[in-house]
Amino acid sequence: MPVAESLRLAWRVAERSGRSARGRWGSAAAAAVGARLAGDRGLAVAASARSGWAPQPRQASSVRTVWGPCDALALPGMRMPWAPSLPAAVSLRTPWGRWFNPIAVGVRGPWDHEPDEPASTIVIPLRLVYRMLHTITIRPVGDTVELPCSSVTVTQDADSWAYSVDVEILGRSEWQRVAPVGGVPVECELIIDGHAFRALIESCEGTHEHARLPVGRARGRSLSARLAGEYSPARDYAEAAGWNLAQLADRELPPAGWSLDWQAADGAVPAGAWSYQGLAPIAAMARVADAAGAILVPSRTAQALTALPRWSVLPWAFAGATPDVEIPLESVLSATEALPVPGDPANAVYVVGGDVGGVLAWVKRTGSAGDLLLPSISEPLATAEPIARARGARALADQWPAPAYTGFAVPLSAPGGDWPLLELGQLVSLTGAGAPVRGIVSSVTITGRTGQRGGLVVEQQVGIGARSRNTYAAWRR
């Protein structure tokens, strides 16, 4: 008796492979002897196999799967401790048609989707001494000779679609190697403690002092600057077709060589709802992302962008969220403490869509009365409920009271060391004697310089929160 002619996987669409299915959630399956499921020891379904719950009989003929020969089972009415089972011989339809699938034996689990993997938190250890060896190298792309530099600064923040680079290079002949010629920037590779960056050096100027080596100051931006008005002309545009919000942003990219990873809210935008005047491609993309309460984060080394929610976790939900990074306050080099702002934060806002397909949304903080309103937000691209919700949520989060610490400085280690490079959008938890202080990373500045004893000193200054005042509290005063 065959197990099933076909089966719809309860977690996610699987890929067809021969006469069996390989799920995207791992190479383990319950169809082979000794197989392990992702979250348990698995259910063996071949001859002389025993499950983790009770012995089960062998009831089928031999079949061949992607894992090798095995025996399929038809276990009518089999029950597991975690959920009742379905009849084993069922005929269901997968997205790819009807066919034999030896994976699940008709057992229904307690979930209706793939269980999310537990979020992992990077915990910074508290040590008396942190040992690290700092290295900084910079060179033009395609050149094997490194440039001598005395200091470097790389800055990235949530309000910018490009990170900036500022480097001091020693020697006139050296800094002239990265000076733009004819307005054409020089692409350089910068590596700080194993963390690579690529930037376009757009300006370079030298300083000469008596009895000192000439110093050149080179400034530039990430590769995303190629989409700015200096290199991609601004234009007027009106979209005559209907697209999703993510597709509108993606259509601003050049036809080849660029990619966009949209991880923000999305929704349908009808024809005629999207138009602009005098915007370069990157400015238009930032405008689209802002409509969904999102930011554009450039890749450090590639021609790629990621659209992320400005608030990966809304501030009133910090307490129940799993932080991405946990840092002991005793281990930070310095911290900036902020005084609390008196008054109650706003708990609702109206998002008003445009004339073409726009929606009117009343967005309020869950569990609140929605009686303390922010000024209404006019958003022409608010043409679907997810877009309006995300835009309103960001507005409410931006005026939430700032965390007790709005910034701190910590060391930087090579990949795999004690101090990772922090990322925009991460939820950071500063732990100490009292309750932990949590906030979303809004800016990261990496500085490297020559110390008083001649060695390199590398730090990262991290800003958390929205860095905006409490609008409603200011209005009340």
Side-chain angles (χ1 to χ4, degrees), residues 174-181 184-186 201 203-204:
E174 300 296 339
W175 61 258
Q176 284 187 337
R177 291 169 53 196
V178 297
V181 178
V184 179
V186 177
I201 300 301
S203 68
C204 196

Side-chain angles (χ1 to χ4, degrees), residues 170-246:
L170 303 176
R172 184 175 186 275
S173 61
E174 300 296 339
W175 61 258
Q176 284 187 337
R177 291 169 53 196
V178 297
V181 178
V184 179
V186 177
E187 183 176 342
C188 289
E189 182 180 52
L190 175 64
I191 302 177
I192 305 175
D193 286 352
H195 303 279
F197 301 84
R198 284 205 174 188
L200 302 178
I201 300 301
E202 299 173 281
S203 68
C204 196
E205 58 184 16
T207 301
H208 301 265
E209 294 184 12
H210 179 67
R212 287 180 176 269
L213 190 66
V215 175
R217 187 173 184 181
R219 295 186 180 95
R221 293 177 292 176
S222 58
L223 301 183
S224 56
R226 288 196 171 117
L227 301 176
E230 295 87 346
Y231 313 107
S232 298
R235 64 171 181 165
D236 300 340
Y237 183 74
E239 181 56 65
W243 301 90
N244 282 354
L245 201 64

Side-chain angles (χ1 to χ4, degrees), residues 418-441:
D418 289 335
W419 290 97
L421 176 59
L422 298 185
E423 307 275 0
L424 294 181
Q426 285 183 321
L427 176 59
V428 173
S429 178
L430 300 174
T431 59
V437 176
R438 294 186 172 183
I440 299 295
V441 175

